[in-house]
Amino acid sequence: MDEEISTRDRIINTATRLFQLQGYHATGLNQILKESNAPKGSLYYYFPKGKEELALECINLTEVLVEKTIREKLVKIDDPVESIRNFIEEIIGNTNLEKNEKLSLNSIKIVSVNLIALETSSTNETLRKACQSAFNTWRNVYTEKLLEGGFNKEKAETLGMVIESMVEGAIVLSLTTKSDTPLLKIAEQIPFILDQ
Amino acid sequence: MDEEISTRDRIINTATRLFQLQGYHATGLNQILKESNAPKGSLYYYFPKGKEELALECINLTEVLVEKTIREKLVKIDDPVESIRNFIEEIIGNTNLEKNEKLSLNSIKIVSVNLIALETSSTNETLRKACQSAFNTWRNVYTEKLLEGGFNKEKAETLGMVIESMVEGAIVLSLTTKSDTPLLKIAEQIPFILDQ
DNA sequence: TTCTATATAGACTGGTCATTATAATTTTGG
DNA sequence: CCAAAATTATAATGACCAGTCTATATAGAA
């Protein structure tokens, strides 16, 4: 009980949050260390290659964490159309599991690699590929659910990508407009889009 | 003839390209000045409030430029479904108007405020609102086209937002995966989505 | 000419960046 | 209890950051 969170984990948790919230370039190592109450020496002890190695770890952990979250949500409802629609609606009120978040919109950003992906897509191949892997993994969860629901392979793959595009785009719009509406609207349209 | 491009315009053009390609925080004023062959004195002469004021101008100009581009494309085909589908396909091979761009994917980024929007959505209200205005303007072009095509007001507004979400999301995925596929796939699905 | 506004030129500021090096400390195993 | 390993502490590095400042043109008007 009362298990201590290791310095390494505190660094990763804080870094993940800040990278996703502010971006890779706007987040300084000093800020990460201060907010995680970690000493500077420790950062380069656990991540000898520095900031990029830390960010890579953050992206990879987000990939598996979000994949797990999507799977858990989708498994709750058999019908793929209804389960996906329901999942998108739940993105909004979702991540208040983390206690210290005030705006639910910030919570949305914290389960996304959208910003880091765009920042690094033309300047850092290592991080770009990590984000690419995350997007592929998440898209694949939708595709699998559609396959289980009886869609043929080609349709399931295309629609998986369409859903992933819509979700990522609606996240951008919801964050930029500080409004739930984009996410709610695409959730509302899921039944029509998948009715093929 | 042989009209000289003013220093102010050279700064704006270079800054717009770099902000959209690398992001707001990753782009330094020195890089902008060097690539536009402009002196530092001029930057603060034309933009006394500095980097933020420059970025604001870049976003606002992108808003009207992209709006104009979308309108020009959509007007070419009467049927809203077909015209929007066609437009999305054309985003890919689109902006080779600018001569010095090599990758067509970079061209995509250069007509987007996606990255700046995410970077500033939780840290800079001025720039966030400028991006919000751009997204709203572009979404409204789709909505208007759907209204002209006989969709009722509510449907047109919802679907306008869905299209804008899909396009922005597919841009993120296409850039991250360095592949045209996401944009092509959503274009392919437009007829089904708008068939209501 | 002289005056004034517009524009360019570049050095300089204080601060922060990621990273490195080295020393001190704590923890752990024998 | 000691020695080795794991971790933390601190200082300093050079590069770059946005922004300020002063000097210098350049042009048209009086």
Short mmCIF file of all heavy atoms in Angstrom, two decimals, chain A residues 78-116:
data_model
loop_
_atom_site.label_atom_id
_atom_site.label_comp_id
_atom_site.label_asym_id
_atom_site.label_seq_id
_atom_site.Cartn_x
_atom_site.Cartn_y
_atom_site.Cartn_z
N ASP A 78 -21.88 -4.82 -28.25
CA ASP A 78 -21.59 -5.75 -29.35
C ASP A 78 -21.63 -5.07 -30.72
O ASP A 78 -20.70 -5.16 -31.50
CB ASP A 78 -22.58 -6.92 -29.33
CG ASP A 78 -22.01 -8.11 -28.57
OD1 ASP A 78 -20.84 -8.02 -28.14
OD2 ASP A 78 -22.72 -9.12 -28.42
N ASP A 79 -22.74 -4.39 -30.99
CA ASP A 79 -22.92 -3.75 -32.29
C ASP A 79 -21.79 -2.73 -32.53
O ASP A 79 -21.63 -1.78 -31.76
CB ASP A 79 -24.27 -3.03 -32.33
CG ASP A 79 -24.46 -2.25 -33.62
OD1 ASP A 79 -24.09 -2.76 -34.69
OD2 ASP A 79 -24.97 -1.12 -33.54
N PRO A 80 -21.00 -2.91 -33.60
CA PRO A 80 -19.85 -2.03 -33.82
C PRO A 80 -20.26 -0.58 -34.04
O PRO A 80 -19.60 0.33 -33.53
CB PRO A 80 -19.20 -2.61 -35.09
CG PRO A 80 -20.24 -3.42 -35.74
CD PRO A 80 -21.13 -3.94 -34.65
N VAL A 81 -21.34 -0.35 -34.75
CA VAL A 81 -21.78 1.02 -35.01
C VAL A 81 -22.08 1.74 -33.70
O VAL A 81 -21.57 2.83 -33.42
CB VAL A 81 -23.04 1.03 -35.91
CG1 VAL A 81 -23.56 2.45 -36.08
CG2 VAL A 81 -22.72 0.39 -37.27
N GLU A 82 -22.91 1.09 -32.90
CA GLU A 82 -23.33 1.71 -31.65
C GLU A 82 -22.15 1.85 -30.67
O GLU A 82 -22.03 2.85 -29.97
CB GLU A 82 -24.45 0.89 -31.01
CG GLU A 82 -25.11 1.54 -29.81
CD GLU A 82 -25.60 2.96 -30.11
OE1 GLU A 82 -25.93 3.26 -31.28
OE2 GLU A 82 -25.62 3.77 -29.17
N SER A 83 -21.27 0.88 -30.66
CA SER A 83 -20.15 0.92 -29.70
C SER A 83 -19.17 2.03 -30.07
O SER A 83 -18.64 2.72 -29.19
CB SER A 83 -19.44 -0.43 -29.66
OG SER A 83 -18.63 -0.64 -30.80
N ILE A 84 -18.94 2.23 -31.36
CA ILE A 84 -18.01 3.29 -31.79
C ILE A 84 -18.63 4.66 -31.54
O ILE A 84 -17.98 5.58 -31.05
CB ILE A 84 -17.62 3.11 -33.27
CG1 ILE A 84 -16.72 1.87 -33.41
CG2 ILE A 84 -16.88 4.34 -33.79
CD1 ILE A 84 -16.44 1.44 -34.83
N ARG A 85 -19.92 4.77 -31.88
CA ARG A 85 -20.61 6.04 -31.62
C ARG A 85 -20.53 6.40 -30.14
O ARG A 85 -20.18 7.50 -29.75
CB ARG A 85 -22.08 5.93 -32.06
CG ARG A 85 -22.84 7.25 -32.06
CD ARG A 85 -24.35 7.07 -32.13
NE ARG A 85 -24.90 6.40 -30.98
CZ ARG A 85 -24.98 6.92 -29.76
NH1 ARG A 85 -24.53 8.15 -29.55
NH2 ARG A 85 -25.49 6.23 -28.76
N ASN A 86 -20.82 5.39 -29.34
CA ASN A 86 -20.80 5.58 -27.89
C ASN A 86 -19.41 5.96 -27.39
O ASN A 86 -19.25 6.82 -26.53
CB ASN A 86 -21.28 4.30 -27.21
CG ASN A 86 -21.48 4.48 -25.73
OD1 ASN A 86 -20.66 4.04 -24.93
ND2 ASN A 86 -22.55 5.15 -25.34
N PHE A 87 -18.41 5.32 -27.95
CA PHE A 87 -17.03 5.60 -27.52
C PHE A 87 -16.64 7.05 -27.78
O PHE A 87 -16.07 7.72 -26.91
CB PHE A 87 -16.05 4.67 -28.23
CG PHE A 87 -14.64 5.15 -28.18
CD1 PHE A 87 -13.94 5.20 -26.97
CD2 PHE A 87 -13.98 5.59 -29.33
CE1 PHE A 87 -12.63 5.66 -26.91
CE2 PHE A 87 -12.68 6.06 -29.27
CZ PHE A 87 -12.00 6.09 -28.06
N ILE A 88 -16.99 7.55 -28.96
CA ILE A 88 -16.61 8.93 -29.30
C ILE A 88 -17.27 9.92 -28.35
O ILE A 88 -16.65 10.89 -27.89
CB ILE A 88 -16.97 9.26 -30.76
CG1 ILE A 88 -16.14 8.36 -31.70
CG2 ILE A 88 -16.70 10.72 -31.09
CD1 ILE A 88 -16.55 8.46 -33.15
N GLU A 89 -18.53 9.64 -28.02
CA GLU A 89 -19.20 10.52 -27.06
C GLU A 89 -18.50 10.50 -25.70
O GLU A 89 -18.44 11.50 -25.01
CB GLU A 89 -20.66 10.09 -26.90
CG GLU A 89 -21.56 10.62 -28.00
CD GLU A 89 -23.00 10.16 -27.82
OE1 GLU A 89 -23.27 9.44 -26.86
OE2 GLU A 89 -23.84 10.52 -28.68
N GLU A 90 -17.96 9.34 -25.38
CA GLU A 90 -17.33 9.21 -24.06
C GLU A 90 -15.93 9.82 -24.01
O GLU A 90 -15.38 10.01 -22.93
CB GLU A 90 -17.27 7.73 -23.65
CG GLU A 90 -18.63 7.20 -23.21
CD GLU A 90 -18.52 5.86 -22.50
OE1 GLU A 90 -17.39 5.40 -22.26
OE2 GLU A 90 -19.57 5.26 -22.22
N ILE A 91 -15.36 10.10 -25.16
CA ILE A 91 -14.04 10.76 -25.16
C ILE A 91 -14.12 12.06 -24.38
O ILE A 91 -13.22 12.42 -23.63
CB ILE A 91 -13.56 11.06 -26.61
CG1 ILE A 91 -13.29 9.76 -27.38
CG2 ILE A 91 -12.28 11.91 -26.60
CD1 ILE A 91 -12.87 9.99 -28.82
N ILE A 92 -15.24 12.75 -24.55
CA ILE A 92 -15.39 14.08 -23.97
C ILE A 92 -15.30 14.05 -22.45
O ILE A 92 -14.48 14.72 -21.84
CB ILE A 92 -16.74 14.70 -24.39
CG1 ILE A 92 -16.75 14.85 -25.91
CG2 ILE A 92 -16.95 16.03 -23.71
CD1 ILE A 92 -18.14 14.86 -26.50
N GLY A 93 -16.18 13.27 -21.85
CA GLY A 93 -16.22 13.24 -20.39
C GLY A 93 -15.29 12.23 -19.79
O GLY A 93 -15.39 11.90 -18.62
N ASN A 94 -14.37 11.78 -20.60
CA ASN A 94 -13.62 10.58 -20.28
C ASN A 94 -12.63 10.69 -19.14
O ASN A 94 -12.88 10.24 -18.03
CB ASN A 94 -12.88 10.12 -21.55
CG ASN A 94 -12.15 8.81 -21.36
OD1 ASN A 94 -12.36 8.12 -20.39
ND2 ASN A 94 -11.29 8.49 -22.29
N THR A 95 -11.56 11.36 -19.40
CA THR A 95 -10.34 11.15 -18.61
C THR A 95 -10.28 11.96 -17.32
O THR A 95 -9.22 12.40 -16.92
CB THR A 95 -9.10 11.43 -19.47
OG1 THR A 95 -9.41 12.48 -20.36
CG2 THR A 95 -8.69 10.21 -20.22
N ASN A 96 -11.40 12.16 -16.68
CA ASN A 96 -11.34 12.78 -15.37
C ASN A 96 -10.88 11.80 -14.30
O ASN A 96 -10.99 12.06 -13.11
CB ASN A 96 -12.70 13.37 -14.99
CG ASN A 96 -13.01 14.60 -15.83
OD1 ASN A 96 -12.60 14.65 -16.98
ND2 ASN A 96 -13.68 15.57 -15.26
N LEU A 97 -10.36 10.68 -14.74
CA LEU A 97 -9.71 9.75 -13.83
C LEU A 97 -8.52 10.45 -13.18
O LEU A 97 -8.30 10.37 -11.99
CB LEU A 97 -9.22 8.52 -14.60
CG LEU A 97 -10.27 7.85 -15.51
CD1 LEU A 97 -9.60 6.85 -16.45
CD2 LEU A 97 -11.32 7.15 -14.67
N GLU A 98 -7.75 11.14 -14.01
CA GLU A 98 -6.66 11.97 -13.48
C GLU A 98 -7.29 13.09 -12.66
O GLU A 98 -8.10 13.85 -13.15
CB GLU A 98 -5.84 12.56 -14.62
CG GLU A 98 -5.33 11.54 -15.62
CD GLU A 98 -4.28 10.62 -15.03
OE1 GLU A 98 -3.50 11.10 -14.18
OE2 GLU A 98 -4.25 9.43 -15.38
N LYS A 99 -6.86 13.17 -11.44
CA LYS A 99 -7.57 14.05 -10.51
C LYS A 99 -7.34 15.55 -10.75
O LYS A 99 -8.24 16.36 -10.61
CB LYS A 99 -7.14 13.72 -9.08
CG LYS A 99 -5.64 13.68 -8.89
CD LYS A 99 -5.26 12.93 -7.61
CE LYS A 99 -3.78 12.55 -7.61
NZ LYS A 99 -3.41 11.61 -6.58
N ASN A 100 -6.13 15.91 -11.17
CA ASN A 100 -5.77 17.33 -11.16
C ASN A 100 -6.17 18.09 -12.42
O ASN A 100 -5.79 19.24 -12.61
CB ASN A 100 -4.27 17.50 -10.90
CG ASN A 100 -3.44 16.63 -11.84
OD1 ASN A 100 -3.99 15.79 -12.55
ND2 ASN A 100 -2.14 16.87 -11.88
N GLU A 101 -6.95 17.46 -13.30
CA GLU A 101 -7.35 18.16 -14.52
C GLU A 101 -8.64 18.94 -14.30
O GLU A 101 -9.62 18.40 -13.80
CB GLU A 101 -7.53 17.17 -15.66
CG GLU A 101 -6.22 16.72 -16.26
CD GLU A 101 -5.34 17.89 -16.66
OE1 GLU A 101 -5.84 18.83 -17.29
OE2 GLU A 101 -4.15 17.87 -16.33
N LYS A 102 -8.65 20.17 -14.73
CA LYS A 102 -9.84 20.98 -14.54
C LYS A 102 -10.74 20.95 -15.77
O LYS A 102 -11.89 20.57 -15.72
CB LYS A 102 -9.44 22.42 -14.19
CG LYS A 102 -8.91 22.55 -12.77
CD LYS A 102 -8.13 23.83 -12.59
CE LYS A 102 -7.33 23.77 -11.29
NZ LYS A 102 -6.34 24.81 -11.19
N LEU A 103 -10.20 21.37 -16.89
CA LEU A 103 -10.99 21.37 -18.11
C LEU A 103 -11.05 19.98 -18.70
O LEU A 103 -10.03 19.33 -18.88
CB LEU A 103 -10.40 22.34 -19.14
CG LEU A 103 -10.52 23.83 -18.84
CD1 LEU A 103 -9.42 24.31 -17.91
CD2 LEU A 103 -10.50 24.62 -20.14
N SER A 104 -12.23 19.54 -19.06
CA SER A 104 -12.34 18.23 -19.70
C SER A 104 -11.67 18.26 -21.06
O SER A 104 -11.23 17.25 -21.58
CB SER A 104 -13.80 17.83 -19.84
OG SER A 104 -14.44 18.60 -20.84
N LEU A 105 -11.58 19.45 -21.66
CA LEU A 105 -10.94 19.55 -22.97
C LEU A 105 -9.45 19.27 -22.88
O LEU A 105 -8.86 18.69 -23.79
CB LEU A 105 -11.18 20.93 -23.58
CG LEU A 105 -12.60 21.16 -24.09
CD1 LEU A 105 -12.88 22.63 -24.30
CD2 LEU A 105 -12.83 20.40 -25.38
N ASN A 106 -8.83 19.70 -21.80
CA ASN A 106 -7.43 19.35 -21.60
C ASN A 106 -7.25 17.83 -21.50
O ASN A 106 -6.28 17.29 -21.99
CB ASN A 106 -6.87 20.02 -20.34
CG ASN A 106 -6.47 21.45 -20.62
OD1 ASN A 106 -6.50 21.90 -21.77
ND2 ASN A 106 -6.08 22.17 -19.58
N SER A 107 -8.21 17.19 -20.87
CA SER A 107 -8.15 15.74 -20.77
C SER A 107 -8.12 15.09 -22.15
O SER A 107 -7.45 14.09 -22.36
CB SER A 107 -9.35 15.22 -19.98
OG SER A 107 -9.43 15.89 -18.73
N ILE A 108 -8.87 15.68 -23.07
CA ILE A 108 -8.87 15.14 -24.43
C ILE A 108 -7.47 15.19 -25.01
O ILE A 108 -6.97 14.23 -25.57
CB ILE A 108 -9.83 15.96 -25.33
CG1 ILE A 108 -11.28 15.78 -24.85
CG2 ILE A 108 -9.70 15.52 -26.78
CD1 ILE A 108 -12.25 16.70 -25.55
N LYS A 109 -6.82 16.34 -24.86
CA LYS A 109 -5.49 16.50 -25.43
C LYS A 109 -4.52 15.49 -24.85
O LYS A 109 -3.60 15.04 -25.51
CB LYS A 109 -5.00 17.93 -25.17
CG LYS A 109 -3.98 18.41 -26.17
CD LYS A 109 -3.65 19.87 -25.94
CE LYS A 109 -3.26 20.58 -27.22
NZ LYS A 109 -3.20 22.03 -27.03
N ILE A 110 -4.79 15.15 -23.58
CA ILE A 110 -3.83 14.30 -22.89
C ILE A 110 -3.92 12.85 -23.34
O ILE A 110 -3.09 12.03 -23.01
CB ILE A 110 -4.03 14.47 -21.37
CG1 ILE A 110 -3.45 15.84 -20.96
CG2 ILE A 110 -3.32 13.40 -20.57
CD1 ILE A 110 -3.68 16.19 -19.54
N VAL A 111 -4.92 12.51 -24.13
CA VAL A 111 -4.93 11.17 -24.73
C VAL A 111 -4.71 11.25 -26.24
O VAL A 111 -5.25 10.47 -26.99
CB VAL A 111 -6.24 10.43 -24.45
CG1 VAL A 111 -6.25 9.89 -23.05
CG2 VAL A 111 -7.43 11.32 -24.71
N SER A 112 -3.87 12.19 -26.64
CA SER A 112 -3.65 12.35 -28.08
C SER A 112 -2.19 12.63 -28.37
O SER A 112 -1.49 13.25 -27.59
CB SER A 112 -4.52 13.51 -28.58
OG SER A 112 -4.14 13.87 -29.88
N VAL A 113 -1.70 12.13 -29.48
CA VAL A 113 -0.34 12.48 -29.90
C VAL A 113 -0.40 13.40 -31.13
O VAL A 113 0.61 13.64 -31.78
CB VAL A 113 0.49 11.22 -30.24
CG1 VAL A 113 0.67 10.35 -29.01
CG2 VAL A 113 -0.09 10.45 -31.38
N ASN A 114 -1.61 13.90 -31.37
CA ASN A 114 -1.87 14.75 -32.51
C ASN A 114 -0.85 15.89 -32.66
O ASN A 114 -0.24 16.06 -33.72
CB ASN A 114 -3.26 15.37 -32.31
CG ASN A 114 -4.00 15.53 -33.61
OD1 ASN A 114 -3.40 15.95 -34.58
ND2 ASN A 114 -5.27 15.20 -33.63
N LEU A 115 -0.66 16.63 -31.59
CA LEU A 115 0.24 17.79 -31.65
C LEU A 115 1.69 17.37 -31.90
O LEU A 115 2.36 17.91 -32.77
CB LEU A 115 0.11 18.58 -30.34
CG LEU A 115 1.10 19.71 -30.08
CD1 LEU A 115 1.23 20.65 -31.25
CD2 LEU A 115 0.70 20.46 -28.81
N ILE A 116 2.16 16.39 -31.15
CA ILE A 116 3.54 15.93 -31.35
C ILE A 116 3.74 15.39 -32.76
O ILE A 116 4.79 15.59 -33.37
CB ILE A 116 3.91 14.84 -30.32
CG1 ILE A 116 3.51 15.28 -28.91
CG2 ILE A 116 5.40 14.54 -30.35
CD1 ILE A 116 3.66 14.18 -27.87
#
